């Protein structure tokens, strides 16, 4: 199965009402673990990279990793640049091979956000790539992007006008979700997703998925959330697994990095496998 477009992945999920895990990776181990899990459970997968990861590893090295790991991939996969407010980074990633981007201009006035998003969509189309858009900041800071201040929500009419004017392929509304770790069960505006989809049938991106309940996921996916973002959960799994296995190494006084890598990779695979099953994408590869 060759690499496919974000649009093809989320459009199928939207039509059949399942969610596709969109997982933010940050090194070779997490990228390989996420892909391995997708192959194991026959799930489409969206591999996401933050601007911070792109800058720390470099676009050429990161994309070479992607090419190597997906050369003979057996499930539909897409490479997505997450929450990027920097037009230069978007241009660089599109030029080298990312096939979708989230242009995050939510800090700008809606009119300016819309104007620039139209430009980004036009640029992406030149590469055969697709675009996710948003007009409201998702509460919380993710890899240096965002704010802990709760952003004002726009009206349904403003959101629909943005979607129609820009031609974005996926839309990410604020529904009470947040990046980072929830301190209590989030109170979500489920009807906002339903209202958007009823007025303009378009795949919805659910941000801040780490920490939501299975029941919340299932409800939102049935309403049209086809792309489900997971970042914090993978970071926690990776670091907690690393810490636990380093403590075991210390106790045994055996310092073997490949043993650590295998253990952490196994936990990354377990997490991703579970996400695919929870979101209903397991077995949906084509």
């Amino acid at each position: 199965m060759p690499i496919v477009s974000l649009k093809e992945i989320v459009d199928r999920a939207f039509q059949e009402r399942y969610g596709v895990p969109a997982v933010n990776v940050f090194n070779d181990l997490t990228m390989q673990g996420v892909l391995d899990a997708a192959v194991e459970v026959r799930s489409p997968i969206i591999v996401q990279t933050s601007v911070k990861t792109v800058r720390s590893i470099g676009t050429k090295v990161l994309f070479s990793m992607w090419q190597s790991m997906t050369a003979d991939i057996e499930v539909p996969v897409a490479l997505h640049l997450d929450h990027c407010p920097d037009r230069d980074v978007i241009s660089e990633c599109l030029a080298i091979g990312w096939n979708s981007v989230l242009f995050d201009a939510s800090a700008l006035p809606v009119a300016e956000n819309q104007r620039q998003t139209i430009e980004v969509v036009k640029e992406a189309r030149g590469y055969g790539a697709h675009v996710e858009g948003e007009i409201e900041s998702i509460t919380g800071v993710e890899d240096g992007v965002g704010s802990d201040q709760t952003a004002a929500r726009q009206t349904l009419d403003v959101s629909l006008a943005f979607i129609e004017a820009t031609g974005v392929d996926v839309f990410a509304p604020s529904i009470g979700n947040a990046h980072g770790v929830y301190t209590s069960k989030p109170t979500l505006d489920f009807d906002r997703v339903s209202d958007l989809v009823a007025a303009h049938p378009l795949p919805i991106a659910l941000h801040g998925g780490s920490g939501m309940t299975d029941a919340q996921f299932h409800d939102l996916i049935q309403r049209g959330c086809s792309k489900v973002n997971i970042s914090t959960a993978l970071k926690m799994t990776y670091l907690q697994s690393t810490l636990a296995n380093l403590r075991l190494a210390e106790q045994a006084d055996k310092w073997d990095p490949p043993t650590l890598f295998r253990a952490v990779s196994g936990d990354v695979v377990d997490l991703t496998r579970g996400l695919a099953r929870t979101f209903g994408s397991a077995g949906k590869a084509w």
Side-chain angles (χ1 to χ4, degrees):
M1 169 62 64
I3 294 168
V4 302
S5 71
L6 173 75
K7 182 173 174 57
E8 184 175 358
I9 289 176
V10 296
D11 280 359
R12 285 188 181 227
F14 183 75
Q15 291 165 7
E16 298 181 28
R17 287 302 193 267
Y18 60 87
V20 178
V23 187
N24 280 61
V25 303
F26 39 83
N27 60 11
D28 56 340
L29 187 151
T30 51
M31 183 182 288
Q32 188 67 68
V34 166
L35 292 169
D36 286 348
V39 171
E40 180 184 329
V41 297
R42 303 293 301 161
S43 172
I45 200 84
I46 300 163
V47 171
Q48 301 197 145
T49 60
S50 69
V51 177
K52 188 175 184 179
T53 295
V54 167
R55 286 175 171 159
S56 65
I57 297 177
T59 52
K60 291 182 179 179
V61 173
L62 197 51
F63 191 69
S64 292
M65 287 164 43
W66 167 255
Q67 287 182 304
S68 175
M69 293 179 188
T70 58
D72 299 308
I73 197 77
E74 300 173 354
V75 296
V77 294
L79 181 62
H80 181 75
L81 176 65
D82 194 28
H83 281 292
C84 184
D86 190 325
R87 295 280 299 274
D88 289 338
V89 175
I90 284 177
S91 295
E92 182 179 354
C93 287
L94 286 172
I96 203 167
W98 270 250
N99 61 356
S100 69
V101 298
L102 165 53
F103 175 48
D104 187 349
S106 56
L108 299 176
V110 174
E112 179 60 16
N113 181 342
Q114 180 171 302
R115 184 189 71 80
Q116 291 200 38
T117 300
I118 289 170
E119 294 178 350
V120 171
V121 170
K122 181 179 179 180
E123 180 181 7
R125 294 293 186 265
Y127 293 99
H130 296 89
V131 178
E132 178 182 338
E134 67 174 307
I135 56 175
E136 305 146 332
S137 296
I138 306 299
T139 304
V141 179
E142 188 72 57
D143 284 344
V145 177
S147 170
D148 288 325
Q149 299 297 316
T150 302
R153 294 188 196 175
Q154 302 296 331
T155 65
L156 177 62
D157 287 344
V158 169
S159 298
L160 292 173
F162 175 87
I163 292 168
E164 291 164 4
T166 59
V168 293
D169 305 285
V170 185
F171 184 67
S174 172
I175 59 168
N177 45 337
H179 292 137
V181 179
Y182 292 104
T183 55
S184 60
K185 181 180 177 180
T187 301
L188 303 174
D189 187 350
F190 297 91
D191 289 339
R192 190 152 196 248
V193 175
S194 297
D195 292 344
L196 281 164
V197 169
H200 189 115
L202 180 81
I204 300 297
L206 175 60
H207 287 238
S210 300
M212 290 186 186
T213 67
D214 288 358
Q216 288 173 327
F217 282 131
H218 295 158
D219 192 331
L220 289 164
I221 287 167
Q222 287 305 306
R223 292 170 188 261
C225 288
S226 310
K227 176 177 179 283
V228 185
N229 284 24
I230 298 292
S231 178
T232 300
L234 180 60
K235 293 173 184 174
M236 292 175 64
T237 294
Y238 181 88
L239 290 175
Q240 289 171 354
S241 178
T242 298
L243 181 60
N245 283 281
L246 284 174
R247 285 172 172 160
L248 291 174
E250 183 179 42
Q251 292 170 6
D253 198 23
K254 292 184 178 180
W255 305 97
D256 180 47
T259 298
L260 170 67
F261 300 154
R262 281 193 299 274
V264 176
S265 178
D267 289 336
V268 171
V269 169
D270 287 345
L271 171 69
T272 310
R273 183 196 301 119
L275 294 173
R277 289 172 175 162
T278 297
F279 302 163
S281 63
K284 295 293 187 178
W286 62 88

